Amino acid sequence: KPIVALESTLISHGLPYPDNIKVAKESISAVEDNGSVAATIGIINGKVKIGLNEDDINILAKDKNVQKVSNHNINLSIFKKENAATTVASTISIASIFGIKFFATGGIGGVHLNAENTNDVSADLYSLSEHSNYVICSGAKSILDLNKTYELLETLGITRIGYKTNYMPGFWFSETNHQVDDNFEDISDISNFLRLNTKLNHKKSILIFNKVPEINAISKEKINEWIERALLKAEQNKINGKALTPFLIKEINNFSNNKTLKANVSLIINNADLAGKIAKNFYS
Ligand code: PSU
Ligand code: MN
């Protein structure tokens, strides 16, 4: 069936209330308007749920104690019967168990800036290489070292294709200077390629890059300025580990007068829409 998995960390930790509720709901509608089925994944009272309902989404969007779980700590939230939101890494781990191939998100995690000193590399990259999901995203988040992220994707055997783009997108900005492995101009060609991959039993994920809608794209120069300010603040406040990504995004939303938030909202829904279209085409 054309099922598209959606993650929940962007609801709990990526976006402020009430934008997070709007994005969660509109992403589901975007998938379903294309004839596919949306399955938002998260953990409610220690139970993994595939297909969060409105009440579940409200909990993850509003409750202050929601944990952010990746592959290393998801077991603990289940054990402690917590409410928890799944990242790209843990969402695709769960989706894979149940044979859900498609997954849409905003931007994946990756190699952080200054990773040569901190070793902070998102588990998203390794999870993508351990599973064979088809992931629609706008590249990796702008706050990361996108050069190193691009290279590590290649090293890990993850195919990077563009939908109407020759370059890997930069999340809030349209294009990095990193060439995609191939650019596809239409959805049926992407489906054909993914069908072949399924036949080949290719064991790694495939990233399908979709640019932020043009009217909400921000210049790379502006973004880099905000990132520098946010990184400085993170260092001063000794923010690290799983708190770093949400902290940086929040700070930059402030610096940008919510321009980045607007871009983030629009690209997530746009990616859900494309995922709904590709999944529908793939299974028909
Ligand atoms: N995309 C967004 N906002 C987010 C995230 C992605 O637009 O908040 C989340 C995803 O859940 C991703 C996670 O898996 O950030 C990466 O966190 P970390 O760098 O700690 O691995
Ligand atoms: Mn990290």
Side-chain angles (χ1 to χ4, degrees):
K1 275 191 188 168
I3 302 175
V4 177
L6 301 169
E7 57 144 316
S8 45
T9 292
L10 59 87
I11 304 173
S12 62
H13 290 74
L15 300 162
Y17 177 83
D19 302 83
N20 54 2
I21 303 250
K22 172 185 137 106
V23 170
K25 286 187 183 163
E26 288 187 18
S27 298
I28 293 170
S29 309
V31 168
E32 301 200 332
D33 287 349
N34 290 302
S36 292
V37 178
T40 314
I41 295 180
I43 297 174
I44 303 293
N45 289 325
K47 285 217 159 67
V48 175
K49 287 188 97 173
I50 299 173
L52 298 178
N53 64 28
E54 212 173 314
D55 292 342
D56 302 328
I57 287 169
N58 275 317
I59 292 171
L60 298 187
K62 291 182 194 168
D63 187 343
K64 292 278 170 285
N65 297 319
V66 174
Q67 302 296 311
K68 169 182 168 185
V69 293
S70 185
N71 287 341
H72 70 286
N73 57 347
I74 184 171
N75 45 3
L76 287 165
S77 277
I78 295 169
F79 179 65
K80 295 198 273 186
K81 299 191 168 45
E82 290 173 333
N83 294 322
T86 51
T87 62
V88 171
S90 52
T91 305
I92 61 174
S93 297
I94 296 164
S96 297
I97 296 171
F98 296 93
I100 301 172
K101 296 293 279 182
F102 287 89
F103 169 64
T105 185
I108 59 167
V111 183
H112 278 268
L113 291 161
N114 198 31
E116 54 283 16
N117 296 313
T118 61
N119 280 317
D120 191 352
V121 178
S122 176
D124 290 0
L125 299 182
Y126 295 93
S127 205
L128 287 164
S129 112
E130 283 157 14
H131 302 101
S132 46
N133 291 85
Y134 305 143
V135 176
I136 293 82
C137 65
S138 302
K141 283 184 287 279
S142 320
I143 54 166
L144 300 164
D145 187 323
L146 296 180
N147 304 326
K148 292 196 181 110
T149 302
Y150 173 86
E151 293 297 340
L152 187 51
L153 284 167
E154 179 175 314
T155 305
L156 292 172
I158 298 156
T159 312
R160 304 153 298 185
I161 68 171
Y163 174 60
K164 297 186 175 162
T165 180
N166 288 304
Y167 295 91
M168 179 169 91
F171 191 58
W172 294 317
F173 62 92
S174 303
E175 277 179 1
T176 65
N177 46 22
H178 296 292
Q179 284 193 354
V180 295
D181 293 312
D182 211 343
N183 173 23
F184 287 75
E185 290 292 330
D186 61 63
I187 286 168
S188 62
D189 284 344
I190 294 181
S191 282
N192 286 334
F193 172 59
L194 298 182
R195 282 192 201 105
L196 170 72
N197 265 278
T198 310
K199 237 188 244 165
L200 290 174
N201 206 7
H202 188 73
K203 293 277 192 245
K204 314 267 167 178
S205 290
I206 293 174
L207 296 180
I208 300 149
F209 294 138
N210 193 25
K211 289 195 260 193
V212 55
E214 210 174 322
I215 44 160
N216 295 311
I218 305 167
S219 83
K220 200 175 173 169
E221 291 68 34
K222 267 195 201 148
I223 289 168
N224 285 336
E225 225 180 275
W226 297 324
I227 291 173
E228 274 188 35
R229 284 170 67 188
L231 283 171
L232 197 71
K233 206 162 166 186
E235 208 189 303
Q236 286 163 350
N237 290 285
K238 300 199 165 60
I239 309 286
N240 54 33
K242 65 178 185 166
L244 184 61
T245 295
F247 178 87
L248 294 174
I249 291 175
K250 210 159 127 197
E251 290 299 320
I252 293 167
N253 287 345
N254 279 336
F255 296 148
S256 72
N257 242 323
N258 284 338
K259 272 212 188 81
T260 47
L261 173 60
K262 208 168 157 192
N264 203 348
V265 166
S266 81
L267 68 86
I268 293 169
I269 296 166
N270 192 46
N271 293 344
D273 173 64
L274 180 61
K277 289 188 166 83
I278 299 173
K280 180 68 188 171
N281 191 291
F282 179 90
Y283 287 101
S284 54

